[in-house]
Amino acid sequence: MTIDERRLNQRHTTEQELEAYDMHTARFIGRFVDISEDGFLLFCPQPVDVDSIWQMRVLAANDKRLKTLLSLGAECLWARPADESNHCWAGFHIIDITADDAKKLHALLADQS
């Protein structure tokens, strides 16, 4: 069984470039590659530990106002090197999201369909 067959929800690539930041330190975690109602893939500039838990702010890339589109808690399920530098691909499962932010995520995904 492939990972695509195990996924409950279809992943969507985003037309809008989205970035993830650590809510506590403001550290840039990575750029979204795709997203679903229960998880997402990030391209990260530095390694991310598997099984690590993050509280993230999701922002539109290059938004000078730094307006948070949504906030969520996520667990890194896997990470793989992306190239010769420290970049990596990291798969996350959403473990905590408010009802309001879940509605925002749903609207974001509807815009991608």
Side-chain angles (χ1 to χ4, degrees), residues 64-84:
K64 304 278 189 252
R65 298 170 295 144
L66 299 176
K67 181 177 184 265
T68 300
L69 298 175
L70 57 109
S71 300
L72 52 85
E75 177 182 12
C76 180
L77 300 179
W78 60 268
R80 293 189 185 93
D83 53 29
E84 300 295 320

Side-chain angles (χ1 to χ4, degrees), residues 13 19-20 27 29-31 33 36 41 50 52 56 59 62-65 71 74-75 78 81 85 87 93 98 102 110:
T13 55
E19 297 179 338
R27 172 186 156 202
I29 302 168
R31 187 169 294 239
V33 176
S36 73
L41 173 64
V50 174
S52 59
M56 297 181 182
L59 293 92
N62 303 317
D63 180 359
K64 304 278 189 252
R65 298 170 295 144
S71 300
E75 177 182 12
W78 60 268
S85 66
H87 292 94
H93 175 68
T98 66

